[in-house]
Amino acid sequence: MKIRKPTPDDYTKVFALLRQAFPRSTYEVQLIEKLHNNGKIVHEWVCIHQNTVIAFIAFSHAFDGAKVCGLHLAPLAVKPQVQNQGIGSELLRFALRQEVIKENTIFVLGNPKFYRKFGFEPCALPLCPFDKNNAHFLSIRNTTSRQYTVGYEREFKIGG
Ligand SMILES: CC(C)(COP(=O)(O)OP(=O)(O)OC[C@H]1O[C@@H](n2cnc3c(N)ncnc32)[C@H](O)[C@@H]1OP(=O)(O)O)[C@@H](O)C(=O)NCCC(=O)NCCS
């Protein structure tokens, strides 16, 4: 298994993987497509095994008003046939060691039980606009003490 940045040729496979990992929703595929089409900065890595994309992770800008204040991790996805074999954990650990990621505040909206293992801590501030009471909102290197609602790229909005 190899972890690397995706090449343009990988995206058909990345989108197939996202459809499989999130079978009830086209949100994740559309999100990544829109971020690319609109030229947004996205930091991405894929796991390749036998010429197939088996896992994908992406980070995009988080905002405090107009200012970039960190990165949102979304989505992380592993091919259903190979889930629960440590691949998602390995890709996440790899991404968190990369220069552009390890110097930034990272936010994630996800299952606290899963993300706490990697150093994410539940955070009360900033407020996540997609989560009630920040119950599933975690962060790393977050020193926010002021109350504000963290911004996402507009492509995160349904229909955005
Ligand atoms: C969540 C996900 C990325 C984890 O990757 P993985 O390779 O299957 O997970 P690993 O084998 O590295 O780790 C296994 C752990 O993840 C947990 N896990 C598996 N699927 C999960 C899910 N949908 N939500 C939360 N935790 C999950 C397992 O319970 C296990 O926890 P344990 O070690 O305490 O027993 C992967 O299962 C997936 O793509 N799921 C569907 C898409 C999704 O829900 N993504 C959420 C992130 S945005």
Side-chain angles (χ1 to χ4, degrees), residues 21-22 75-78 83-89 111 113-115 117:
F22 299 97
L76 168 62
V78 174
Q83 284 177 6
N84 289 307
Q85 296 176 22
I87 294 163
S89 299
N111 186 328
K113 190 171 163 280
F114 180 73
Y115 285 103
K117 287 185 279 192

Coordinates of all heavy atoms in Angstrom, one line a residue, residues 21-22 75-78 83-89 111 113-115 117, ligand 1:
A21 N -18.2 4.7 -0.1 CA -18.0 4.9 1.3 C -19.2 5.7 1.9 O -19.5 5.5 3.1 CB -16.7 5.7 1.6
F22 N -19.8 6.5 1.1 CA -21.0 7.3 1.6 C -22.2 7.0 0.6 O -22.6 7.8 -0.2 CB -20.7 8.8 1.5 CG -19.6 9.2 2.4 CD1 -18.3 9.4 1.9 CD2 -19.8 9.5 3.8 CE1 -17.2 9.8 2.8 CE2 -18.7 9.8 4.6 CZ -17.5 10.0 4.1
P75 N -13.5 15.0 3.4 CA -13.9 13.8 4.2 C -12.7 12.9 4.3 O -11.6 13.1 3.7 CB -14.9 13.2 3.2 CG -14.4 13.5 1.9 CD -13.8 14.9 2.0
L76 N -12.8 11.9 5.2 CA -11.9 10.8 5.3 C -12.8 9.6 4.9 O -13.9 9.4 5.4 CB -11.4 10.6 6.7 CG -10.6 9.3 7.0 CD1 -9.4 9.1 6.1 CD2 -10.3 9.2 8.5
A77 N -12.3 8.8 3.9 CA -13.1 7.7 3.4 C -12.2 6.5 3.1 O -11.1 6.7 2.5 CB -13.9 8.1 2.2
V78 N -12.7 5.3 3.4 CA -12.0 4.0 3.1 C -13.0 3.1 2.4 O -14.2 3.1 2.7 CB -11.5 3.3 4.4 CG1 -10.9 2.0 4.1 CG2 -10.5 4.2 5.2
Q83 N -12.5 -1.6 5.1 CA -12.7 -0.9 6.3 C -12.3 -1.7 7.5 O -12.4 -3.0 7.5 CB -14.1 -0.3 6.4 CG -14.3 0.8 5.5 CD -15.8 1.4 5.5 OE1 -16.6 0.9 6.3 NE2 -16.1 2.3 4.6
N84 N -12.0 -1.0 8.6 CA -11.7 -1.7 9.9 C -10.5 -2.6 9.8 O -10.4 -3.6 10.5 CB -12.9 -2.5 10.4 CG -14.0 -1.6 10.9 OD1 -13.8 -0.7 11.7 ND2 -15.2 -1.7 10.4
Q85 N -9.5 -2.2 9.0 CA -8.2 -2.9 8.9 C -7.1 -2.0 9.2 O -5.9 -2.3 8.9 CB -8.1 -3.5 7.5 CG -9.1 -4.6 7.2 CD -8.9 -5.1 5.7 OE1 -7.9 -5.0 5.1 NE2 -10.0 -5.7 5.2
G86 N -7.4 -0.8 9.7 CA -6.3 0.1 10.1 C -5.9 1.1 9.0 O -5.1 1.9 9.2
I87 N -6.6 1.0 7.8 CA -6.1 1.9 6.7 C -6.5 3.3 6.9 O -5.7 4.2 6.7 CB -6.7 1.3 5.4 CG1 -6.1 0.0 5.1 CG2 -6.5 2.3 4.2 CD1 -6.9 -0.9 4.1
G88 N -7.7 3.6 7.4 CA -8.1 5.0 7.7 C -7.2 5.6 8.7 O -6.8 6.8 8.6
S89 N -6.9 4.8 9.7 CA -6.0 5.3 10.8 C -4.6 5.7 10.2 O -4.0 6.7 10.6 CB -5.8 4.3 11.9 OG -7.1 4.0 12.5
N111 N -16.9 11.4 14.5 CA -17.1 10.6 15.7 C -16.0 10.8 16.7 O -14.8 10.4 16.4 CB -17.2 9.1 15.3 CG -17.6 8.2 16.4 OD1 -17.2 8.4 17.5 ND2 -18.3 7.1 16.1
K113 N -15.1 9.3 19.3 CA -14.4 8.0 19.7 C -13.3 7.7 18.7 O -12.2 7.2 19.1 CB -15.4 6.9 19.8 CG -14.9 5.6 20.4 CD -16.0 4.6 20.6 CE -15.4 3.2 20.8 NZ -15.1 2.6 19.6
F114 N -13.5 7.9 17.4 CA -12.5 7.6 16.4 C -11.4 8.7 16.4 O -10.2 8.3 16.5 CB -13.2 7.6 15.0 CG -12.3 7.3 13.9 CD1 -11.7 6.0 13.7 CD2 -11.9 8.3 13.0 CE1 -10.8 5.7 12.7 CE2 -11.0 8.0 12.0 CZ -10.5 6.7 11.8
Y115 N -11.8 9.9 16.4 CA -10.8 11.0 16.2 C -9.9 11.3 17.4 O -8.8 11.8 17.3 CB -11.5 12.3 15.7 CG -11.8 12.1 14.2 CD1 -13.1 11.9 13.8 CD2 -10.9 12.2 13.2 CE1 -13.5 11.7 12.5 CE2 -11.2 12.0 11.9 CZ -12.5 11.7 11.5 OH -12.7 11.6 10.2
K117 N -8.3 9.3 19.2 CA -7.1 8.5 19.2 C -6.0 9.1 18.5 O -4.8 8.7 18.6 CB -7.5 7.1 18.5 CG -8.4 6.2 19.2 CD -8.6 4.9 18.6 CE -9.6 5.0 17.5 NZ -10.1 3.7 17.0
Ligands
LIG1 C1 -14.5 6.0 9.3 C2 -13.5 5.4 8.4 C3 -12.7 6.4 7.7 C4 -12.5 4.6 9.3 O1 -11.5 4.0 8.5 P1 -11.1 2.4 8.7 O2 -9.9 2.1 7.9 O3 -12.3 1.7 8.5 O4 -10.8 2.4 10.3 P2 -9.6 1.8 11.0 O5 -9.5 0.3 10.7 O6 -8.3 2.6 10.8 O7 -10.0 2.1 12.5 C5 -11.1 1.3 13.0 C6 -11.9 2.1 14.0 O8 -12.7 3.0 13.3 C7 -14.0 2.8 13.8 N1 -15.0 3.1 12.7 C8 -15.2 2.4 11.6 N2 -16.2 3.0 10.9 C9 -16.6 4.1 11.6 C10 -17.5 5.1 11.3 N3 -18.3 5.1 10.2 N4 -17.6 6.1 12.2 C11 -16.8 6.1 13.3 N5 -15.9 5.2 13.6 C12 -15.8 4.2 12.7 C13 -14.1 1.4 14.3 O9 -15.1 1.3 15.2 C14 -12.7 1.2 14.9 O10 -12.7 1.7 16.2 P3 -11.8 0.8 17.3 O11 -10.4 0.8 16.8 O12 -12.0 1.6 18.5 O13 -12.5 -0.5 17.3 C15 -14.1 4.3 7.4 O14 -14.7 3.3 8.1 C16 -15.0 4.9 6.4 O15 -14.7 5.4 5.4 N6 -16.3 4.9 6.8 C17 -17.4 5.4 5.9 C18 -17.2 6.9 5.7 C19 -17.3 7.7 6.9 O16 -18.2 7.5 7.7 N7 -16.4 8.6 7.2 C20 -16.4 9.4 8.4 C21 -15.3 10.4 8.4 S1 -15.8 11.9 7.5

